[in-house]
């Protein structure tokens, strides 16, 4: 997949093979009994309708010449009952298959979403989110028609073809062979466009993905767009992407529309030939063909080419679906870099000792972010991590939570290697506040309770008061029941951070991780918050990343990180006495504030 680019087509890492259709069949398998019942129902309906042309033959050759009104009445009533049964069967089929098709779509989408929940941060770091979203929604939706109608129609129409051919051969072998002459021509057309058609739908899915990625990016960045007056430029980019999508779609459906007209042309030609030869044989002196047989046969011709046309449509849907299945299964097959080991055990209730032993890590092979990191945080201690931007501060805390696996070395909590325990049992004992204070659509109460669904309203309010969020929440129109938009657009950056802070604290963690927790909070609020933090940090092992060094002066140990290594360590007073890198950093902020 293209890396963080909306203008680059995705490249499939694996080519399509028949095993992907087998995987699709695995989703269909739970519904095979209901589908078999629908197929049998439709076959019974088709079998009965096969008799209608025979009724016409008997009426033309016998009932009308013999003026037999009873038989005409009988055939009319029988035809009406068959049509009624066929209509009821079709209604049952549509209703049943619509439910089955949507259930299968749900199952596929559910598997994709569940897998996305397990994929590591690195997967999302490297991909436009719009290109991920289009696979979960659009691509899966594109399978709906194939699953709801295509499969049952294909089985039914294949059986119908066999029934129809049996009746056609029984009526007249010569006319049947003339009708079948069109099939080799149709097969040649299919072979001719097959590869181009599949490739066209792959390109179309690429252009759709690019367009979706840019739309998602534009919506997320709309404030920046309007601030820098980029509306016209962005509209131009969108226009080009939309044109590319339209062009690719038109080319793809052009191949699809080739099938229908091809079937119509071949069927019209063979039907005309049958009429010409049929009339000649009727007018021949030995009259080798009757009018009733010709009328019945022409009725079967329509029934013969109708399923051929449906099968051609199924073939088109299948080739379209294949281009989407490739993307869907590629996502499901994306390896989960961070997952429970087969023999992983639940993490016992932790006391809080965190130890890094010769830990090295890099996001890309050969590019180390951390190199041979060693330190031990005792239970209840507060560790502050400082250093220049890009030094690896956030990487250290991400490794504690095992959002990434270390390249070498070991991280232990209470002497237990965190790679040997289940992720759920590890992370449920941590409270984490990231740099990105993400707010979900819903109430403020729900957002704070996100990490502890069993918390009472009183506990939520207590956490909010601890982080000094209670006052501004109560000033909103509905207090804690106030609805906030996705990403918290109604809230200021500082308010979003305070809510995220309360969310982390409510989890009542043994290990607390605060990544730039106070970066968007004003100085007055920071002073109030610091009082609550001092009480909260007691008895917890805490890791705090902060650029404002005034917030970490009371930390038990401060790690100065740069160039992948811990250059200095100690408490504030000790590091100030050394007059090293920490001292320079602190004094630069002090001078700036003066």
């Amino acid at each position: 997949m293209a890396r963080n680019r909306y203008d680059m087509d995705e490249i499939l890492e694996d080519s399509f093979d028949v095993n992907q259709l087998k995987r699709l069949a695995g989703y269909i398998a739970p519904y095979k009994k209901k589908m078999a019942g629908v197929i049998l129902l439709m076959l019974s309906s088709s079998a009965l309708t096969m008799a209608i042309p025979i009724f016409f033959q008997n009426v033309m050759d016998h009932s009308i010449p013999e003026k037999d009104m009873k038989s005409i009445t009988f055939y009319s009533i029988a035809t009406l009952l068959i049509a009624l049964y066929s209509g009821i069967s079709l209604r049952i089929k549509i209703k049943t298959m619509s439910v089955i098709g949507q259930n299968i779509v749900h199952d596929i989408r559910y598997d994709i979403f569940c897998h996305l929940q397990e994929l590591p941060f690195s997967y999302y770091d490297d991909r436009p989110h719009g290109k991920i979203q289009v696979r979960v929604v659009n691509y899966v939706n594109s399978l709906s028609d194939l699953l709801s109608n295509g499969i049952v129609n294909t089985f039914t129409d294949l059986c119908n073809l066999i029934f129809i051919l049996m009746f056609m051969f029984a009526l007249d072998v010569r006319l049947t062979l003339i009708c079948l002459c069109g099939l080799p021509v149709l097969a040649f057309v299919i072979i001719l466009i097959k590869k181009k058609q599949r490739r066209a739908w792959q390109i179309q899915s690429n252009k759709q993905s690019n367009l979706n990625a840019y739309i998602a990016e534009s919506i997320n960045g709309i404030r920046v767009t309007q601030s820098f007056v980029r509306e016209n430029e962005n509209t131009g980019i969108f226009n080009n992407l939309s044109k590319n999508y339209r062009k690719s779609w038109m080319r793809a459906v052009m191949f699809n529309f080739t099938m229908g007209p091809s079937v119509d042309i071949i069927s019209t030609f063979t039907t005309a030939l049958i009429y010409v030869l049929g009339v000649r044989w009727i007018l021949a002196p030995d009259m080798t063909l009757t009018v009733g047989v010709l009328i019945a046969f022409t009725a079967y011709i329509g029934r013969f080419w109708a399923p051929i046309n449906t099968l051609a449509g199924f073939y088109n849907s299948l080739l379209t679906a294949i281009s989407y299945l490739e993307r869907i299964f590629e996502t499901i097959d994306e390896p989960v870099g961070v997952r429970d080991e087969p023999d992983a055990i639940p993490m016992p209730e932790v006391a809080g000792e965190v130890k890094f032993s010769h830990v090295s890590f890099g996001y890309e092979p050969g590019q180390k972010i951390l190199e041979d990191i060693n330190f031990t945080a005792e239970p209840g201690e507060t560790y502050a991590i400082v250093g220049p931007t890009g030094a690896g501060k956030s990487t250290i805390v991400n490794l504690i939570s095992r959002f990434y696996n270390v390249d070498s070395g070991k991280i232990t909590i209470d002497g237990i290697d965190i790679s040997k325990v289940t992720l759920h049992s590890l992370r449920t004992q941590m409270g984490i506040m990231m740099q990105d204070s993400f707010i979900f659509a819903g109430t403020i109460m729900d957002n704070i309770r996100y990490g502890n669904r069993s918390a009472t309203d009183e506990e939520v309010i207590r956490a909010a008061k601890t982080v000094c969020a209670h006052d501004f929440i109560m000033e909103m129109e509905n207090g804690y029941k106030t609805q906030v938009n996705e990403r918290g657009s109604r809230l200021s950056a500082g308010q979003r951070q305070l809510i995220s802070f309360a969310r982390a604290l409510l989890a009542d963690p043994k290990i607390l991780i605060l990544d730039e927790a106070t970066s968007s909070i004003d100085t007055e609020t920071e002073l109030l918050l610091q009082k609550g933090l001092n009480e909260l940090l007691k008895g917890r092992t805490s890791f705090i990343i902060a650029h404002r060094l005034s917030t970490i002066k009371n930390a038990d140990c401060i790690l100065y990180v740069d160039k992948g290594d811990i250059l200095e360590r100690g408490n504030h007073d000790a590091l100030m006495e050394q007059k090293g890198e920490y001292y320079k950093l602190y004094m630069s902020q002090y001078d700036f504030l003066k």
Side-chain angles (χ1 to χ4, degrees):
M1 183 182 286
R3 299 300 190 259
N4 291 319
R5 294 287 297 273
Y6 58 80
D7 56 350
M8 294 177 62
D9 290 343
E10 299 171 286
I11 300 174
L12 281 172
E13 296 177 4
D14 297 313
S15 59
F16 179 81
D17 59 58
V18 73
N19 289 325
Q20 293 183 350
L21 287 179
K22 292 180 180 179
R23 291 178 67 175
L24 180 62
Y27 286 97
I28 298 171
Y31 307 97
K32 60 184 179 183
K33 291 184 178 179
K34 288 185 178 181
M35 293 179 70
V38 172
I39 290 172
L40 290 175
L41 181 67
M42 295 307 298
L43 287 178
S44 66
S45 172
S46 298
L48 289 173
T49 57
M50 295 298 170
I52 294 178
I54 302 298
F55 294 168
F56 291 162
Q57 178 192 355
N58 290 334
V59 168
M60 295 297 296
D61 288 346
H62 303 290
S63 299
I64 293 177
E66 297 172 8
K67 299 181 180 180
D68 185 357
M69 292 304 299
K70 288 184 179 180
S71 62
I72 292 175
T73 303
F74 170 78
Y75 288 134
S76 299
I77 293 174
T79 301
L80 180 62
L81 291 175
I82 291 173
L84 183 61
Y85 179 81
S86 178
I88 294 173
S89 300
L90 182 61
R91 177 179 174 80
I92 294 173
K93 173 233 173 183
I94 292 173
K95 182 177 180 180
T96 304
M97 288 310 303
S98 295
V99 172
I100 291 175
Q102 287 305 307
N103 284 343
I104 296 172
V105 165
H106 166 76
D107 294 340
I108 296 173
R109 183 177 288 121
Y110 179 81
D111 282 353
I112 295 177
F113 187 80
C114 287
H115 191 68
L116 288 173
Q117 300 299 296
E118 297 179 350
L119 290 176
F121 287 175
S122 56
Y123 179 81
Y124 299 96
D125 293 341
D126 292 342
R127 290 158 173 80
H129 294 175
K131 292 193 176 186
I132 300 173
Q133 182 182 4
V134 75
R135 298 186 180 210
V136 181
V137 182
N138 301 57
Y139 290 178
V140 177
N141 281 345
S142 299
L143 303 178
S144 178
D145 184 61
L146 174 70
L147 298 170
S148 297
N149 299 303
I151 296 173
V152 167
N153 288 348
T154 298
F155 277 102
T156 304
D157 289 336
L158 283 173
C159 293
N160 284 345
L161 276 177
I162 296 173
F163 292 152
I164 292 167
L165 284 172
M166 291 171 60
F167 278 92
M168 290 171 69
F169 274 112
L171 280 173
D172 194 283
V173 175
R174 296 168 300 172
L175 295 179
T176 304
L177 293 176
I178 293 171
C179 186
L180 292 177
C181 287
L183 292 183
V185 179
L186 181 61
F188 174 77
V189 173
I190 292 174
I191 294 171
L192 187 66
I193 68 173
K194 175 183 175 182
K195 184 176 292 186
K196 293 181 179 179
Q197 187 175 5
R198 176 172 175 247
R199 179 58 184 159
W201 280 110
Q202 286 180 330
I203 294 173
Q204 185 272 342
S205 69
N206 284 337
K207 303 307 180 185
Q208 182 183 14
S209 180
N210 293 346
L211 181 62
N212 200 77
Y214 188 70
I215 292 172
E217 179 182 291
S218 298
I219 292 173
N220 289 332
I222 190 64
R223 294 178 184 272
V224 178
T225 295
Q226 294 183 0
S227 298
F228 287 90
V229 199
R230 279 269 305 186
E231 294 90 342
N232 291 337
E233 290 86 345
N234 288 6
T235 302
I237 295 172
F238 174 85
N239 189 41
N240 289 333
L241 291 172
S242 184
K243 284 182 177 179
N244 290 336
Y245 170 69
R246 181 183 63 184
K247 182 179 178 181
S248 64
W249 188 87
M250 292 296 292
R251 177 171 172 77
V253 297
M254 178 191 70
F255 289 109
N256 277 20
F257 291 157
T258 301
M259 295 296 294
S262 297
V263 173
D264 290 339
I265 292 171
I266 294 171
S267 65
T268 300
F269 178 80
T270 55
T271 302
L273 186 59
I274 287 171
Y275 272 118
V276 171
L277 294 177
V279 171
R280 175 174 294 182
W281 290 334
I282 290 173
L283 298 177
D286 54 354
M287 195 177 179
T288 57
L289 190 70
T290 66
V291 174
V293 170
L294 181 60
I295 291 175
F297 195 89
T298 53
Y300 282 125
I301 291 176
R303 294 172 185 270
F304 173 80
W305 286 105
I308 294 288
N309 214 345
T310 303
L311 290 172
F314 174 77
Y315 175 78
N316 283 334
S317 299
L318 186 62
L319 281 183
T320 304
I322 284 173
S323 67
Y324 295 129
L325 280 175
E326 291 169 327
R327 306 296 187 187
I328 291 168
F329 288 136
E330 182 190 50
T331 304
I332 293 178
D333 292 339
E334 185 72 28
V336 178
V338 180
R339 68 189 318 162
D340 293 340
E341 296 293 333
D343 57 348
I345 61 173
M347 169 66 84
E349 185 174 347
V350 303
E353 182 199 64
V354 178
K355 183 176 182 179
F356 274 56
S357 301
H358 305 288
V359 171
S360 296
F361 173 78
Y363 294 103
E364 298 291 340
Q367 300 180 10
K368 294 296 183 184
I369 302 297
L370 300 175
E371 187 73 47
D372 196 31
I373 299 297
N374 295 275
F375 68 85
T376 301
E378 299 295 337
E381 287 188 338
T382 298
Y383 265 56
I385 306 174
V386 300
T389 301
K393 303 184 296 295
S394 295
T395 302
I396 290 177
V397 295
N398 283 337
L399 293 177
I400 297 173
S401 306
R402 206 180 157 216
F403 291 128
Y404 303 91
N405 285 326
V406 300
D407 293 340
S408 61
K410 183 169 63 174
I411 301 173
T412 61
I413 295 178
D414 297 344
I416 301 174
D417 188 343
I418 63 172
S419 67
K420 305 300 182 184
V421 302
T422 62
L423 292 171
H424 182 268
S425 65
L426 173 68
R427 293 174 184 169
T428 51
Q429 301 192 64
M430 294 184 179
I432 304 170
M433 181 176 170
M434 301 288 191
Q435 290 176 341
D436 181 14
S437 303
F438 194 93
I439 301 297
F440 297 90
T443 66
I444 292 177
M445 181 76 74
D446 289 339
N447 268 279
I448 296 176
R449 193 183 276 129
Y450 190 84
N452 184 1
R453 305 303 296 176
S454 61
T456 64
D457 290 355
E458 291 74 18
E459 290 171 331
V460 171
I461 294 171
R462 190 181 308 121
K465 287 181 176 178
T466 302
V467 301
C468 304
H470 178 74
D471 290 343
F472 87 79
I473 293 174
M474 294 306 297
E475 290 174 359
M476 303 187 77
E477 64 267 24
N478 296 313
Y480 285 86
K481 299 298 182 182
T482 301
Q483 293 283 335
V484 290
N485 301 329
E486 180 185 353
R487 303 191 70 87
S489 57
R490 294 186 58 192
L491 304 170
S492 69
Q495 289 172 336
R496 290 198 298 270
Q497 279 197 313
L498 289 176
I499 290 175
S500 298
F501 212 160
R503 177 195 298 161
L505 304 186
L506 186 63
D508 192 23
K510 297 295 184 181
I511 298 174
L512 185 64
I513 296 174
L514 306 176
D515 190 348
E516 292 297 334
T518 60
S519 60
S520 298
I521 299 173
D522 60 79
T523 305
E524 182 179 353
T525 304
E526 181 186 326
L527 293 174
L528 294 173
L529 177 60
Q530 195 66 44
K531 297 178 182 178
L533 274 179
N534 291 336
E535 291 298 320
L536 180 74
L537 296 179
K538 290 180 180 179
R540 307 177 195 275
T541 305
S542 304
F543 295 88
I544 303 175
I545 297 176
H547 281 112
R548 286 195 284 188
L549 303 185
S550 59
T551 61
I552 59 162
K553 289 176 65 175
N554 296 327
D556 296 295
C557 182
I558 299 172
L559 305 179
Y560 185 91
V561 179
D562 192 16
K563 298 178 181 178
D565 195 9
I566 299 174
L567 301 184
E568 298 176 7
R569 68 182 74 198
N571 61 30
H572 173 76
D573 293 335
L575 292 180
M576 290 298 290
E577 289 180 5
Q578 291 182 20
K579 295 190 176 182
E581 297 300 323
Y582 176 81
Y583 173 83
K584 295 177 184 177
L585 183 63
Y586 184 85
M587 293 308 295
S588 65
Q589 290 192 9
Y590 180 76
D591 292 339
F592 175 78
L593 292 174
K594 288 196 301 184

